[in-house]
């Protein structure tokens, strides 16, 4: 098939699939509901995408894609199709009958009436703003390719991408059903570049979920219910104007060298993190929710100056603006080529400006003791697009206006 024929096929397929998805899906309309807790039924429409603020769902798939659409119009068709399918995957609905000889509209993985329940985040990478679509002048002001930091061991095949996609739900088959649906309906518009599946554990026994090093993860997050804090730390400044309602997402794939970690004492592990493993409390506290008071421990006699929590968040007036909304998942990919366990953390975070926030935190963490037991190998920086306001809107509409 020639490039021109492929593009014509793409346009017809995307438009047809998008229309079918829109007619078949039911929708919600409350922007407030779109930012509700992970256990509540997600709502698709809202000022922000519905996968950013809620606590992590039990299962997720995070993937990056190279866009192979050839024109701004084909890119718009791709984003419309993503919107229509994600709306359907969020709200559920009976698949449209297609006749006896046609392939079924749905894979059937979730039965005859897929229930919905998917949360999602779609982002754009810096590479989308090259010469292909005439978008260079519209690139979000703080969007750059992901930096490589000291102690990283990045694999180029598992880094960056034109588009990012995160799908989250309470059951793994719901996530896989959504991924297959989107892969089918966007075939010809984008090509998978890398993918990783993640999961969160239930509280054990309570509080934040634990990572695969056994420590609670995300205890010191800012409160997503505090709209003023989210405006200050998470939602992007409208630079340019079309970015209002979006956020910058950092994704880091971090292998944990668990077989080495499991050979050191719990006391040493706690000194590395600065928290008690069992309770999650800082070493100068007694409960997980206690805030460490570094003013009473200036030399690090209790919470070492080199501990992860102290380096990541020194809790000074100058570093308060560096805080991020952390959203992390565990991963397990079996074994590597030499038979070692391949597991770790899918670290994601949302912020107003990666250079001001994530990169400041990550720079402080260079050469921390924890680096002996982790190996960041992939990920990327992406701009999470503004939400879809209503049935007439679609992801990236304001980005592609007038093109």
């Amino acid at each position: 098939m020639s490039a021109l024929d492929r593009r014509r096929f793409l346009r017809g397929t995307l438009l047809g699939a998008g229309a079918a998805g829109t007619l078949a899906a039911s929708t919600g309309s409350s922007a407030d509901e779109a930012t509700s807790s992970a256990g509540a039924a997600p709502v698709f429409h809202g000022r922000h995408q519905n996968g950013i603020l809620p606590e992590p769902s039990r299962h997720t798939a995070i993937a990056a894609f190279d866009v192979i659409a050839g024109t701004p119009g084909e890119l718009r068709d791709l984003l419309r199709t993503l919107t229509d399918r994600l709306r359907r995957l969020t709200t559920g609905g009976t698949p449209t009958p297609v006749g006896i000889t046609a392939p079924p509209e749905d894979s059937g993985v979730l039965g005859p009436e897929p229930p919905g329940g998917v949360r999602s985040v779609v982002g754009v990478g810096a590479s989308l703003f090259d010469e292909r679509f005439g978008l260079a002048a519209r690139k979000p002001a703080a969007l750059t390719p992901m930096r490589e930091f000291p102690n990283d061991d990045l694999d180029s095949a598992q880094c960056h991408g034109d588009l990012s996609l995160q799908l989250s739900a309470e059951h793994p088959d719901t996530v896989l059903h959504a991924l297959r649906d989107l892969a089918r309906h966007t075939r010809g518009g984008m090509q998978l570049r890398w993918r990783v599946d993640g999961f969160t554990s239930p509280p054990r026994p309570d509080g934040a979920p634990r990572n695969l090093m056994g420590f609670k993860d995300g205890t010191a997050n800012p409160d997503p219910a505090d709209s003023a804090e989210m405006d200050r730390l998470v939602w992007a400044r409208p630079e340019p104007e079309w970015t209002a309602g979006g956020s910058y997402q950092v994704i880091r794939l971090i292998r944990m060298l668990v077989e080495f970690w499991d050979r050191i004492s719990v006391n040493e592990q706690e000194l590395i993190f600065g928290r008690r493993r069992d309770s999650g409390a800082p070493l100068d506290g007694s409960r997980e929710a206690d805030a460490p008071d570094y003013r009473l421990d200036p030399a690090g006699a209790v919470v070492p100056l080199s501990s992860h929590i102290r380096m990541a968040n020194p809790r000074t007036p100058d570093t308060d603006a560096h805080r991020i909304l952390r959203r992390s998942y565990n991963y397990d990919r079996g074994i590597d080529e030499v038979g070692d366990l391949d597991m770790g953390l899918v670290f994601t975070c949302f912020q107003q400006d990666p250079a001001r926030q994530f990169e400041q935190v990550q720079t402080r963490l260079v050469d921390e003791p924890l680096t002996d037991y982790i190996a960041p190998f992939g990920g990327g920086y992406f701009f999470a697009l503004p939400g879809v306001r209503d049935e007439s809107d679609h992801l990236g509409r304001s980005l592609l206006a007038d093109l």
Side-chain angles (χ1 to χ4, degrees):
M1 182 182 292
S2 70
L4 180 59
D5 290 338
R6 178 188 62 75
R7 291 170 186 167
R8 287 172 177 164
F9 174 77
L10 166 67
R11 184 179 296 278
T13 300
L14 292 176
L15 288 174
T22 300
L23 290 172
S26 61
T27 62
S29 61
S30 167
D32 292 335
E33 291 180 41
T35 58
S36 61
S37 67
V43 172
F44 185 71
H45 292 146
R47 184 167 184 262
H48 313 295
Q49 292 191 64
N50 66 11
I52 296 176
L53 290 188
E55 293 294 325
S57 300
R58 189 60 57 84
H59 297 276
T60 196
I62 298 178
F65 297 82
D66 295 323
V67 171
I68 57 177
T71 67
E74 290 176 357
L75 176 60
R76 181 180 292 108
D77 291 343
L78 172 63
L79 291 173
R80 281 176 174 159
T81 298
L82 276 173
T83 303
D84 291 337
R85 299 314 302 174
L86 286 170
R87 183 186 289 115
R88 172 69 169 270
L89 293 165
T90 300
T91 60
T94 303
T96 304
V98 292
I100 297 175
T101 60
E105 195 215 0
D106 188 82
S107 65
V109 169
L110 300 182
E113 296 187 8
V118 174
R119 296 187 185 278
S120 57
V121 182
V122 176
V124 291
S127 57
L128 189 71
F129 296 86
D130 59 16
E131 71 285 351
R132 287 173 292 170
F133 305 110
L135 297 175
R138 304 185 184 192
K139 186 169 76 168
L143 183 62
T144 66
M146 183 176 67
R147 279 181 53 188
E148 182 167 2
F149 292 88
N151 312 122
D152 288 357
D153 186 19
L154 299 184
D155 175 2
S156 60
Q158 299 182 83
C159 294
H160 313 302
D162 293 331
L163 290 179
S164 63
L165 172 66
Q166 180 171 357
L167 302 167
S168 303
E170 293 304 295
H171 302 286
D173 57 349
T174 305
V175 174
L176 293 177
H177 169 266
L179 186 62
R180 282 178 60 177
D181 184 280
L182 294 173
R184 171 182 177 176
H185 287 93
T186 61
R187 186 174 180 85
M190 61 185 192
Q191 176 68 46
L192 188 65
R193 182 179 179 90
W194 55 262
R195 167 197 163 195
V196 62
D197 296 333
F199 63 94
T200 58
S201 302
R204 300 191 188 277
D206 50 29
R210 295 180 185 271
N211 60 37
L212 295 181
M213 287 179 161
F215 283 75
K216 296 187 176 185
D217 198 303
T219 298
N221 260 333
D223 182 3
D226 186 333
S227 59
E229 277 289 85
M230 297 301 97
D231 286 341
R232 184 173 71 92
L233 297 174
V234 172
W235 305 126
R237 300 185 184 96
E239 300 170 350
E241 186 175 353
W242 74 264
T243 61
S247 182
Y248 291 89
Q249 183 180 24
V250 171
I251 303 171
R252 295 266 287 176
L253 311 182
I254 304 172
R255 183 169 178 181
M256 293 176 168
L257 309 179
V258 294
E259 291 161 317
F260 295 97
W261 179 255
D262 291 343
R263 295 172 189 163
I264 65 175
S265 70
V266 171
N267 181 65
E268 185 175 352
Q269 293 178 0
E270 291 179 341
L271 292 173
I272 289 173
F273 270 104
R275 291 188 179 274
R276 300 294 178 195
R277 190 177 75 169
D278 288 352
S279 67
L283 296 182
D284 64 348
S286 59
R287 298 175 303 125
E288 179 184 349
D290 288 344
D293 192 343
Y294 301 141
R295 296 171 302 173
L296 302 179
D297 183 27
V302 181
V303 183
L305 299 179
S306 62
S307 65
H308 181 78
I309 66 167
R310 192 158 187 165
M311 295 178 74
N313 183 6
R315 297 178 180 267
T316 66
D318 290 342
T319 60
D320 180 69
H322 302 167
R323 298 175 69 203
I324 55 179
L325 182 65
R326 181 186 178 104
R327 293 287 183 249
S328 294
Y329 301 83
N330 301 319
Y331 81 81
D332 175 15
R333 302 202 295 187
I335 59 174
D336 65 14
E337 64 276 6
V338 298
D340 290 333
L341 295 171
D342 184 356
M343 57 180 60
L345 192 72
V346 185
F347 171 93
T348 76
C349 66
F350 295 94
Q351 61 257 283
Q352 190 175 81
D353 183 339
R356 190 193 86 216
Q357 293 169 267
F358 169 76
E359 291 188 354
Q360 292 294 319
V361 174
Q362 192 61 36
T363 298
R364 287 196 297 269
L365 292 173
V366 169
D367 291 334
E368 64 166 326
L370 189 60
T371 59
D372 289 340
Y373 303 96
I374 60 174
F377 63 89
Y381 292 176
F382 300 93
F383 182 75
L385 293 168
V388 177
R389 301 299 186 102
D390 52 37
E391 291 264 9
S392 64
D393 197 8
H394 66 83
L395 290 164
R397 179 189 54 78
S398 53
L399 165 64
L400 296 170
D402 304 321
L403 287 180

